[in-house]
Amino acid sequence: MASIRQNVQPDALPDFRNLGVIARILVGAHALALGAVIFAEAGPAQAIERLARAATLLEPLLIASLVVLAAASPWLARLAYWLGCAAVLGAVLALAALAHALVAQLLGAPALEGLARTLVLAGAASALLLGYFRLRVRAYSPALAEARLQALQARIRPHFLFNSLNAVLSLIRRDPQRAERALEDLADLFRQLIADGRGFVRLADEIALLERYAALEQLRLGERMRVVWELDGAPSDALLPPMVLQPLLENAVYHGVEPATGASEVVVRIERRGDRILARIENAYVGGEPAQRAGNRMALENIRERLKLFFDAEATLESRIEGGRYRVEIGMPYKTGEIRAA
Amino acid sequence: MNELKVFIADDEAPARQRLKELLSDVAGELPARVVGEAGNGLEAIERLPGSGARVLLLDIQMPGMGGIEVARHLALLPDPPAVVFVTAHDRHAVEAFELNALDFLLKPVRAARLAAALRKAADAGAPSRERLARASPGAREYFSVAERSRIVLVPVREVVYFKAELKYVTLRTRAGEHLMEEPLVALEREFAEQFVRVHRNCLVARAAIRGFERAGGGDEEPHWNVVLDGIAERLPVSRRLWPVVKELVGEPGP
């Protein structure tokens, strides 16, 4: 069990440039303000009036905070977690003091209550929201641990491992060099599978992994499998969560190529469209047994959760059957940068 | 010493190659000759009967038709081969499928185990149909009929009805009919989702039922008849089964 516990997601500040995060902050701050006035005022009429007054301070402060945090996001991400939290709190408090002074200047002091009160409220709201984001990451990290475990089990699934080893054995006498390459591919694949799944990986590395996996499958399936790679538009520096693409390709082989009696084509298309990365994997739809389809759904659900953990609301995963083809498409933001060691 | 004639069925070419290599490795202690190969289940059923094979090395996971179903159909041959199953499944799956009752090898296969399994299977002969049926993961996709020394396959969805007559069961499709030796009760159990019993001696494909019409009068006792899709023949519904069969009118079969 130790290996599972090690897998808990490290605490990290949210990505303040992510639309999902921004939306959560806006909704959260307003919900807190609403809760506070309802709690403080006797009737609905007073509460609404008080909320309107509070908005003159809350809205400028929120917008200013979001702009500053979004601008400072890469710098904040490099700080240790608690230092980052202190920086966020400091920034919000400073902005609160500034906003308080400005609003007092423009509207006159009577419109506002004391500076101390503003600072306490802003600080408390920020702390609550930071706590919420921390809990959210923790709530998702079991999915990650499970994903790794599941991926391991799925890949150490006898079906793939033993059939691949069997294919390598058949090569050793006829074509020793190809057998060597195949074992190297298998080693690389397994190294990746038992690696830490917490940080981002580079798209170029993930594509290399896809190619190694496809080479192994090609070995045993031969002419029955044809993989069409459409990767010209794939930016190699894009960052993405690990083990998102490989399970999709494996599903395509398992459900689209192996059960087919004739030759079958799998298309892997990855491209950048504006500030988005689109990855599509497509195979022949052969049908299959309910248990297999359930397995496929579970794999997709797992990938969806991991995308959510890394990209919040900015990632999408869709699957559909169209014209006898089964397609899975992932959309995620085009993100570059250093790979942070977890 | 006589050569053992072996047939290899596996959908992966390298796996067939590997088995041939192993057979030549053990030729000293067990002279064997590969008399045929197949890359999927349907090919195996087509090619094996003329090959003279005594033992079939049969992969369990193959596209089109899995190994267990292949063995069930081949068991109808007058001189069926002994079967050694080959699988990449782990032991748990083997137990779940009740394969333990059959001879099987795990991939990757070792030469010594291959030789032992072949020798044992050749002595024991073909597996019984009951053991194969028990090891089946689900219902078959084809019915089979032995005609002279080959196997004719009829896809399950093409069958309109089965009718028991004395020793045989008649299998009726739109194109014609075949005689089978399987008991109606076993067919009813295996294909409960696709077929419904309308009479003591008759199973009808749910998908082929178009409706019912009244019949009888005069000398005959009044009863209902099943109207079938694509066949003019009407089949009587027994009075005892009518309440069950009636329910199907509103809901067309799957």
Side-chain angles (χ1 to χ4, degrees):
Chain A
M1 293 307 279
S3 66
I4 298 175
R5 237 181 287 123
Q6 280 169 15
N7 227 344
V8 167
Q9 192 76 2
D11 290 322
L13 287 175
D15 174 3
F16 290 109
R17 291 180 180 179
N18 185 298
L19 285 180
V21 170
I22 292 172
R24 280 170 213 283
I25 292 175
L26 284 172
V27 171
H30 284 102
L32 286 173
L34 188 66
V37 296
I38 286 175
F39 182 74
E41 297 294 333
Q46 291 98 311
I48 288 171
E49 199 235 307
R50 176 78 171 265
L51 193 63
R53 256 194 295 143
T56 55
L57 183 60
L58 177 64
E59 304 303 332
L61 172 56
L62 250 180
I63 290 165
S65 301
L66 285 173
V67 168
V68 167
L69 289 177
S73 187
W75 177 76
L76 286 169
R78 277 197 295 274
L79 295 178
Y81 177 70
W82 291 111
L83 213 59
C85 285
V88 170
L89 266 180
V92 171
L93 289 177
L95 286 168
L98 195 66
H100 187 91
L102 277 176
V103 171
Q105 191 89 57
L106 288 173
L107 300 178
L112 287 172
E113 282 128 58
L115 175 63
R117 192 187 167 92
T118 303
L119 290 180
V120 167
L121 285 174
S126 306
L128 276 172
L129 285 171
L130 283 170
Y132 160 74
F133 280 113
R134 182 163 180 243
L135 283 179
R136 190 164 177 276
V137 169
R138 298 218 156 174
Y140 273 112
S141 66
L144 199 72
E146 196 190 318
R148 223 184 101 190
L149 211 69
Q150 231 178 44
L152 260 175
Q153 279 167 346
R155 241 54 92 233
I156 301 177
R157 181 169 62 193
H159 181 78
F160 173 71
L161 177 62
F162 292 136
N163 278 327
S164 294
L165 284 176
N166 203 34
V168 174
L169 280 170
S170 78
L171 274 182
I172 288 178
R173 296 182 207 183
R174 279 180 300 137
D175 192 346
Q177 275 159 356
R178 222 173 134 204
E180 285 171 10
R181 271 206 307 280
L183 282 179
E184 286 159 4
D185 285 344
L186 203 58
D188 277 348
L189 199 61
F190 272 77
R191 184 170 297 123
Q192 196 61 40
L193 289 171
I194 57 175
D196 196 316
R198 287 178 287 178
F200 279 102
V201 292
R202 224 176 281 285
L203 181 57
D205 296 336
E206 204 64 3
I207 287 175
L209 190 72
L210 288 183
E211 287 168 343
R212 301 221 157 102
Y213 168 72
L216 279 167
E217 294 288 40
Q218 196 81 63
L219 198 63
R220 61 189 191 92
L221 296 170
E223 290 162 3
R224 289 166 59 197
M225 179 173 93
R226 205 171 90 84
V227 183
V228 178
W229 302 95
E230 298 178 358
L231 304 174
D232 293 345
S236 51
D237 61 346
L239 297 182
L240 72 166
M243 269 171 345
V244 160
L245 298 178
Q246 194 272 338
L248 291 180
L249 183 55
E250 183 161 342
N251 269 2
V253 174
Y254 190 64
H255 297 285
V257 181
E258 284 191 50
T261 39
S264 193
E265 193 179 89
V266 174
V267 182
V268 180
R269 183 185 175 88
I270 305 174
E271 61 182 339
R272 177 181 166 191
R273 219 177 279 167
D275 57 353
R276 308 272 299 160
I277 301 289
L278 296 179
R280 190 169 82 188
I281 294 184
E282 186 185 303
N283 58 273
Y285 181 72
V286 189
E289 318 213 327
Q292 283 186 0
R293 286 200 296 269
N296 182 43
R297 258 202 310 281
M298 223 166 73
L300 288 189
E301 213 32 65
N302 202 288
I303 293 169
R304 186 173 284 136
E305 287 198 0
R306 252 174 312 145
L307 283 171
K308 217 168 170 179
L309 177 63
F310 282 84
F311 289 125
D312 202 306
E314 290 187 1
T316 56
L317 185 154
E318 283 164 25
S319 64
R320 62 178 185 279
I321 299 158
E322 206 176 88
R325 307 282 292 168
Y326 179 79
R327 284 198 191 97
V328 182
E329 189 164 288
I330 289 180
M332 54 199 162
Y334 176 42
K335 184 183 157 89
T336 57
E338 292 292 303
I339 293 179
R340 195 156 41 111
Chain B
M1 214 196 311
N2 251 348
E3 276 181 331
L4 183 65
K5 291 177 181 169
V6 180
F7 191 101
I8 298 175
D10 194 308
D11 60 320
E12 295 175 15
R16 295 197 298 273
Q17 175 70 27
R18 174 75 184 152
L19 286 173
K20 282 190 275 184
E21 282 174 5
L22 291 174
L23 282 174
S24 70
D25 287 353
V26 298
E29 53 168 316
L30 182 86
R33 185 157 59 93
V34 176
V35 295
E37 286 182 48
N40 64 52
L42 297 175
E43 268 179 24
I45 288 179
E46 195 185 303
R47 294 179 189 171
L48 182 127
S51 71
R54 275 193 61 207
V55 182
L56 167 61
L57 285 170
L58 182 55
D59 185 23
I60 289 180
Q61 295 86 34
M62 288 190 290
M65 186 192 289
I68 308 250
E69 181 165 350
V70 170
R72 289 181 76 179
H73 295 311
L74 289 174
L76 296 180
L77 287 171
D79 185 17
V83 181
V84 175
F85 289 97
V86 186
T87 178
H89 271 314
D90 60 358
R91 268 182 200 282
H92 294 296
V94 163
E95 277 158 25
F97 286 155
E98 294 197 44
L99 286 179
N100 280 327
L102 303 166
D103 292 314
F104 68 93
L105 292 167
L106 295 176
K107 285 184 189 177
V109 176
R110 277 171 194 272
R113 294 224 177 104
L114 177 66
L118 284 177
R119 208 175 288 120
K120 184 176 156 217
D123 289 344
S128 77
R129 277 149 74 174
E130 289 72 34
R131 272 195 294 160
L132 288 169
R134 237 180 299 131
S136 289
R140 283 166 289 177
E141 293 187 40
Y142 293 85
F143 296 106
S144 49
V145 187
E147 283 183 359
R148 285 179 295 279
S149 59
R150 58 190 204 102
I151 302 288
V152 176
L153 293 176
V154 181
V156 170
R157 64 173 184 283
E158 284 183 15
V159 177
V160 179
Y161 69 75
F162 294 103
K163 203 169 185 181
E165 278 148 330
L166 299 172
K167 202 179 154 220
Y168 293 98
V169 167
T170 304
L171 174 162
R172 181 78 156 92
T173 65
R174 284 175 195 92
E177 55 182 45
H178 304 273
L179 290 181
M180 300 172 58
E181 274 185 74
E182 286 182 67
L184 213 55
V185 191
L187 290 170
E188 185 182 17
R189 202 181 314 125
E190 185 174 349
F191 297 97
E193 278 176 31
Q194 294 104 314
F195 290 86
V196 60
R197 195 183 271 264
V198 298
H199 196 276
R200 189 171 42 79
N201 69 355
C202 190
L203 289 178
V204 176
R206 289 165 190 252
I209 298 179
R210 278 297 144 262
F212 302 93
E213 61 180 27
R214 278 200 170 280
D219 302 346
E220 227 184 327
E221 212 181 314
H223 63 273
W224 290 89
N225 272 345
V226 183
V227 182
L228 295 163
D229 193 32
I231 293 185
E233 190 184 347
R234 303 285 191 257
L235 298 169
V237 182
S238 79
R239 186 190 296 273
R240 185 173 60 84
L241 292 167
W242 173 243
V244 186
V245 177
K246 183 171 63 176
E247 297 295 312
L248 297 172
V249 188
E251 35 149 351

